């Protein structure tokens, strides 16, 4: 009995040590076995936001055998926040890779430390170019994406998208045989246009097609253009052609691409300004800057937003010039100038070269069998516990990638307000809104040019979003806008809706308070405006009114019969930041009460600028508001203003640094083993 008792005590101690060790592992092991620190340093003396930096891996700083063969287990974190990234190249056999990581903020002349994790065989790839860059297309479909590109051709030129590449084909001998694609979006200066491309000549004329890559203001290049042109065999002729406000500069044969026929290479055009007086252009091949192509000017380089474009054409005097430019992918990234951020990958310490499982076996606590005479059946009882644990682990590993899941909530409308359809990259916008559970877009429109929004509204409808036009935001409350002017703006939208293939789902009248600080009246007679809008819109168009914080609540009863719902702006009330559900509920209680009394419905709008640390905090506020107003017939939903601020919030805020010692790999394991060994020593002493 004494031996059996001692054995039970030993087993208990061992189980306690394993439990302590397991707790330590639970804090440090999140299925990724390896990690390395990456230091990104800002060198231009400027604060940089959402800046894309290339992380270059090779055999000197990274062990490819520890990662998945396709790099699918790579993850990058700033604190506890996952960062967007895109794997440009991944060659484990050659021991080389380039990964672009978007860093949320780099302080001037400072640095940020990010963590690269890998070593999880079940991980799914999270590489995403659209989330990482300002613009991205890898031509993965079977046609050119009309949401991103426009297309022009003449003389037989055409575009062919298949197999993950886009071909701009100039097949005929023709004076105007060309094909051109250009982005629908325009981009500001301090950007770089990157394209992986190659030239193919399919005819007898070795000159092949003329190829262009650049920025352009208008397709007839009457105003501004940055044209990088290559031609002749192996693209030996390379030149800039720069146009700014009809002034023109040309440079010839400053360098040579030296790309053999049919070879892929990466061509990058950077367009930037280092001061207020001069603008510059630079050219990179395969990531290496050719300083012979550097050019700076205050006259010939514009600083106005421009589109990107690609172009292929044949020579008019050729006998059989046919060929094309093939493009594997393109992207737009930020570019601060020659002093770009530097990236240093810290090699993994030797002790991190093995997975956690391999260092966790407590060899030091082995107990000789002859010292503990315990039948096997006496120590087999914990098996049920281990089986249950294995089932839980298997269930947890179904979702291989840790995903930030927002809380679920049920409302009639979950919306967001956009200042313009052209600010966000549409595919990225769709992913962001879908992950946030948002189904309605309140779009601020310029009523003098309503038709510019048709493509955006059509695309939004195809993705399942409703779009409401927001009108009359900038009246100034000075009397300059009278009812006639306001009616004209509304008439423009109603006329658009009657003719367009992508009509707005609703109109939202954005009401401004009076310019008098103590007034609780609106600056216009919105009741008359809403009445006229209701009459013109009919019953098929949703009409809503966005209430200013100080708007006379008693007037809500007069407007309620004419609108389908109200948007109650919870911000701008002089009460500080309203970033908690309880504060928001108190701030809108009076107006929600009036809406409830009038038998109408209200959407509560919060503002991302009101101290929300991350998207999770916004979503938690949405869920809390939905729970608070559960069963309230006056509560229709939630919305946020504005998207530009919301999209820049991290999914989850960076957590503060851990207490000393808690983050040291293996610290908890060692503590657990020491505790077990100490207990064993006590037991041995008691036997003596």
């Amino acid at each position: 009995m004494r031996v059996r008792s001692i054995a039970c005590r030993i087993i208990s101690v061992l189980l306690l040590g394993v439990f302590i060790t397991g707790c330590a592992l639970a804090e440090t092991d999140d299925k990724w076995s390896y990690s390395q620190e990456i230091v990104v340093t800002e060198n231009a003396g400027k604060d940089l936001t959402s800046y894309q930096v290339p992380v270059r891996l090779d055999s000197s700083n990274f062990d490819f055998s520890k990662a998945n063969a396709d790099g699918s287990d790579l993850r990058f974190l700033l604190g506890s926040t996952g960062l967007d990234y895109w794997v440009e190249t991944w060659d484990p056999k050659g021991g080389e890779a380039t990964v672009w990581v978007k860093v949320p903020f780099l302080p001037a002349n400072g640095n940020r430390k990010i963590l690269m994790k890998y070593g999880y065989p079940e991980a799914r790839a999270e590489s995403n170019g659209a989330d990482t860059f300002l613009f991205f297309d890898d031509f993965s479909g079977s046609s050119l994406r009309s949401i991103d590109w426009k297309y022009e051709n003449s003389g037989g030129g055409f575009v062919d998208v298949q197999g993950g590449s886009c071909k701009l084909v100039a097949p005929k001998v023709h004076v105007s045989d060309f094909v051109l694609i250009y982005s629908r979006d325009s981009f500001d200066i301090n950007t770089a246009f990157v394209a992986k491309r190659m030239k193919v000549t399919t005819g007898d004329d070795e000159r092949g097609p003329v190829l262009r890559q650049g920025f352009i203001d208008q397709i007839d290049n009457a105003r501004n253009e940055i044209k990088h042109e290559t031609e002749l065999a192996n693209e030996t002729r390379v030149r800039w052609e720069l146009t700014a406000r009809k002034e023109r500069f040309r440079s010839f044969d400053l360098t040579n691409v030296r790309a053999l026929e049919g070879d892929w290479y990466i061509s990058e055009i950077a367009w930037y300004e280092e001061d207020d007086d001069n603008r510059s252009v630079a050219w990179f091949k395969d990531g290496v800057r050719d300083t012979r192509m550097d050019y700076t000017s205050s006259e010939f380089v514009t600083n106005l937003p421009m589109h990107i474009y690609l172009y292929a054409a044949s020579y008019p005097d050729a006998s059989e010039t046919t060929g094309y430019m093939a493009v594997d992918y393109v992207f737009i990234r930020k570019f601060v100038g020659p002093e770009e951020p530097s990236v240093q990958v810290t090699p993994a310490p030797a002790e991190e070269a093995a997975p956690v499982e391999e260092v966790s076996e407590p060899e030091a606590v082995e107990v000789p069998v002859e010292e503990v005479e315990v039948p096997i059946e006496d120590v087999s009882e914990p098996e049920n516990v281990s089986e249950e644990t294995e089932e839980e682990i298997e269930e947890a590993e179904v979702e291989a990638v840790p995903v930030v899941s927002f809380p679920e909530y049920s409302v009639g409308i979950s919306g967001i307000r956009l200042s313009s359809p052209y600010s966000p990259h549409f595919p990225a916008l769709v992913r962001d809104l879908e992950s946030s559970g948002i189904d309605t877009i309140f779009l601020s429109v310029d009523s003098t040019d309503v038709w510019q929004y048709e493509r955006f509204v059509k695309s939004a409808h195809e993705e399942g979003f409703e779009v409401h036009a927001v009108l009359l935001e900038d009246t100034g409350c000075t009397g300059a806008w009278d009812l006639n002017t306001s009616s004209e703006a509304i008439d423009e939208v109603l006329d658009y809706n009657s003719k367009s293939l992508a009509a707005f789902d609703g109109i939202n009248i954005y009401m401004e308070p009076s310019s008098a600080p103590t007034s609780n009246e609106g600056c216009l007679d919105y009741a008359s405006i809403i009445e006229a809008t209701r009459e013109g819109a009919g019953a098929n168009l949703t009409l809503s009114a966005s209430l200013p914080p100080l708007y006379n609540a008693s007037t809500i009863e007069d407007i309620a019969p004419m609108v389908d719902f109200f948007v109650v702006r919870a911000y701008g009330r002089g009460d500080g930041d309203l970033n908690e559900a309880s504060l928001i509920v108190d701030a809108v209680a009076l107006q929600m009460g009036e809406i409830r009394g009038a038998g109408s419905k209200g959407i509560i709008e919060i503002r991302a600028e009101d101290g929300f640390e991350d998207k999770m905090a916004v979503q938690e506020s949405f869920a809390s508001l939905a729970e608070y107003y559960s069963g309230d017939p006056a509560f229709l939903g939630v919305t946020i203003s504005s998207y530009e601020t919301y999209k820049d919030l991290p999914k989850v805020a960076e957590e503060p640094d851990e207490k000393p010692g808690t983050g040291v790999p293996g610290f908890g394991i060692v503590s657990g083993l020491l505790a077990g060994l100490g207990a064993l020593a006590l037991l041995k002493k008691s036997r003596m």
Side-chain angles (χ1 to χ4, degrees):
M1 290 296 292
R2 174 179 169 81
V3 173
R4 184 181 182 89
S5 175
I6 292 173
C8 289
R9 292 163 68 186
I10 292 174
I11 292 170
S12 298
V13 171
L14 289 176
L15 288 176
L16 176 62
V18 171
F19 174 76
I20 295 173
T21 303
C23 291
L25 285 174
E27 293 179 358
T28 59
D29 181 15
D30 56 357
K31 302 178 184 177
W32 274 261
S33 300
Y34 309 99
S35 65
Q36 290 179 236
E37 189 176 78
I38 298 172
V39 180
V40 183
T41 304
E42 201 287 319
N43 300 310
K46 300 177 182 179
D47 289 341
L48 305 179
T49 59
S50 299
Y51 202 91
Q52 302 87 6
V53 298
V55 177
R56 305 192 191 281
L57 305 175
D58 56 43
S59 57
S60 69
N61 61 22
F62 187 78
D63 187 346
F64 284 87
S65 68
K66 304 299 184 185
N68 291 354
D70 58 356
S72 57
D73 56 338
L74 283 182
R75 297 294 185 270
F76 297 87
L77 296 95
L78 183 61
S80 61
T81 302
L83 303 181
D84 293 322
Y85 70 94
W86 177 66
V87 179
E88 182 175 25
T89 61
W90 185 264
D91 181 12
K93 291 184 179 180
E96 293 181 341
T98 299
V99 184
W100 290 88
V101 181
K102 185 168 70 174
V103 182
F105 178 73
L106 284 171
N109 298 317
N111 61 58
R112 298 303 298 267
K113 295 179 180 179
I114 61 180
L115 190 68
M116 176 176 63
K117 298 170 62 176
Y118 54 98
Y120 178 32
E122 303 301 320
R124 302 173 187 172
E126 285 195 347
S127 170
N128 192 308
D131 287 344
T132 305
F133 300 107
L134 301 174
F135 179 92
F136 177 84
D137 196 350
D138 59 0
F139 305 103
S140 56
S142 58
S143 61
L144 198 65
R145 288 207 305 254
S146 60
I147 190 66
D148 291 328
W149 298 98
K150 290 186 178 181
Y151 157 66
E152 290 187 6
N153 67 316
S154 179
F158 66 93
V159 174
D160 180 28
V161 178
Q162 59 178 322
S165 69
C166 173
K167 295 180 181 178
L168 282 71
V169 186
K172 297 181 179 180
V173 180
H174 192 281
V175 68
S176 60
D177 178 42
F178 76 89
V179 59
L180 165 74
I181 62 173
Y182 59 98
S183 66
R184 290 183 178 272
D185 291 343
S186 57
F187 304 93
D188 293 325
I189 196 169
N190 294 322
T191 56
F193 174 23
V194 182
K196 183 178 180 181
R197 47 182 267 198
M198 73 172 174
K199 170 190 168 185
V200 176
T201 301
T202 56
D204 296 332
D205 195 316
E206 67 176 9
R207 290 180 298 179
V210 177
L211 308 179
R212 294 174 186 166
Q213 172 187 352
F215 295 88
I216 194 168
D217 180 86
Q218 295 178 355
I219 297 310
D220 61 4
N221 52 318
R223 292 186 60 193
N224 301 297
E225 183 178 12
I226 298 173
K227 178 196 302 181
H228 175 254
E229 184 174 276
T230 61
E231 53 182 317
L232 304 184
N234 300 332
E235 302 185 64
T236 54
R237 177 174 292 174
V238 179
R239 69 178 183 182
W240 286 122
E241 187 168 317
L242 309 169
T243 306
R245 300 172 183 87
K246 299 185 180 180
E247 298 290 338
R248 177 162 292 189
F249 167 81
R250 294 182 179 179
S251 60
F252 291 89
D253 297 331
L254 294 170
T255 186
N256 185 342
V257 173
R258 293 187 179 88
L260 296 177
E261 179 83 14
D263 280 356
W264 289 100
Y265 70 95
I266 299 173
S267 174
E268 178 175 3
I269 299 171
W271 166 47
Y272 63 98
E273 59 181 349
E274 299 181 77
D275 53 56
D276 296 334
D277 298 325
N278 295 295
R279 278 82 62 189
S280 303
V281 292
W283 181 70
F284 298 72
K285 178 191 173 186
D286 294 329
V288 178
R289 183 173 187 152
D290 190 333
T291 56
R292 292 170 294 181
M293 290 285 285
D294 287 356
Y295 181 76
T296 300
S297 173
S298 61
E299 298 179 76
F300 303 114
V301 182
T302 183
N303 59 356
L304 298 176
M306 292 199 287
H307 305 280
I308 58 170
Y309 80 97
L310 297 167
Y311 170 97
S314 65
Y315 289 92
D317 62 340
S319 56
E320 287 293 338
T321 300
T322 59
Y324 57 86
M325 175 200 291
V327 186
D328 187 24
Y329 57 78
V330 299
F331 62 82
I332 293 285
R333 69 179 184 93
K334 292 189 175 183
F335 186 85
V336 70
E339 301 298 329
E340 284 214 271
S342 55
V343 181
Q344 180 180 4
V345 180
T346 304
E351 60 269 23
E352 291 189 10
V356 174
E357 292 80 7
E358 294 182 13
V359 301
S360 62
E361 297 179 1
E363 296 180 1
V365 296
E366 290 183 358
V367 180
V369 176
E370 62 273 15
E371 293 185 19
V372 185
E373 300 176 3
V374 183
I376 295 177
E377 59 270 18
D378 288 350
V379 297
S380 62
E381 293 179 0
E383 287 184 2
N384 291 336
V385 176
S386 63
E387 288 177 2
E388 182 179 354
T389 303
E390 288 176 3
E391 290 177 1
E392 292 174 353
I393 292 173
E394 289 177 1
E395 182 177 352
E397 289 182 350
V398 171
E399 178 58 59
V401 180
V403 177
V404 176
S405 298
F406 293 140
E408 295 183 0
Y409 56 90
S410 179
V411 294
I413 291 178
S414 179
I416 198 159
R417 188 152 63 92
L418 271 64
S419 58
S420 167
Y422 306 111
S423 296
H425 178 50
F426 189 79
L429 168 68
V430 170
R431 283 189 295 272
D432 205 3
L433 299 193
E434 286 181 342
S435 67
S436 300
I438 290 171
D439 54 25
T440 303
I441 297 171
F442 292 94
L443 177 64
S444 301
V445 303
D446 176 4
S447 59
T448 62
D449 186 14
V450 180
W451 286 94
Q452 66 176 305
Y453 304 106
E454 185 178 43
R455 176 176 58 87
F456 179 85
V457 177
K458 185 176 186 298
S459 301
H461 285 167
E462 291 172 350
E463 297 293 339
F465 297 98
E466 284 196 3
V467 183
H468 294 241
V470 180
L471 287 172
L472 310 181
E473 292 183 86
D474 190 20
T475 64
C477 295
T478 61
W481 275 54
D482 57 20
L483 291 180
N484 290 334
T485 307
S486 302
S487 298
E488 290 173 4
I490 292 168
D491 288 343
E492 289 290 333
V493 174
L494 294 176
D495 180 67
Y496 162 87
N497 255 29
S498 67
K499 300 174 181 177
S500 173
L501 294 174
F504 289 105
D505 300 283
I507 294 178
N508 175 258
I509 305 298
Y510 192 92
M511 303 165 64
E512 288 284 8
S514 169
S515 57
T518 59
S519 174
N520 60 358
E521 299 290 346
C523 61
L524 293 177
D525 183 2
Y526 286 106
S528 298
I529 295 173
I530 292 171
E531 183 178 12
T533 307
R534 177 81 282 170
E535 183 178 348
N540 295 326
L541 185 65
T542 300
L543 180 61
S544 60
S546 179
L547 297 175
L550 298 178
Y551 191 69
N552 190 348
S554 63
T555 312
I556 291 175
E557 187 175 355
D558 298 331
I559 297 177
M562 297 180 285
V563 299
D564 295 283
F565 61 85
F566 291 91
V567 176
V568 182
R569 309 204 292 267
Y571 49 87
R573 296 170 181 265
D575 299 326
D577 289 343
L578 298 179
N579 51 24
E580 296 180 11
S582 59
L583 299 176
I584 296 168
V585 167
D586 291 342
V588 302
L590 176 60
Q591 288 177 323
M592 284 299 293
E594 291 293 330
I595 292 170
R596 192 178 299 112
S600 189
K601 297 181 181 295
I603 295 175
I604 297 176
E605 182 175 71
I606 63 178
R607 184 170 58 181
E609 293 89 340
D610 273 13
F612 289 97
E613 294 184 351
D614 49 39
K615 288 186 173 72
M616 179 63 77
V618 173
Q619 296 296 321
E620 287 175 346
S621 293
F622 279 177
S624 297
L625 290 171
E627 181 180 2
Y628 179 85
Y629 287 104
S630 176
D632 184 351
F635 179 71
L636 181 59
V638 289
T639 186
I640 187 169
S641 173
S642 66
Y643 174 70
E644 291 302 316
T645 303
Y646 177 75
K647 74 179 178 67
D648 290 334
L649 292 175
K651 292 180 179 178
V652 179
E654 182 177 350
E655 296 179 356
D657 293 338
E658 297 176 341
K659 294 180 181 179
T662 60
V664 179
F667 179 82
I669 301 174
V670 174
S671 300
L673 294 179
L674 289 176
L677 289 172
L680 283 173
L682 290 174
L683 287 174
K684 183 176 181 181
K685 184 176 181 181
S686 66
R687 290 183 61 188
M688 297 173 61

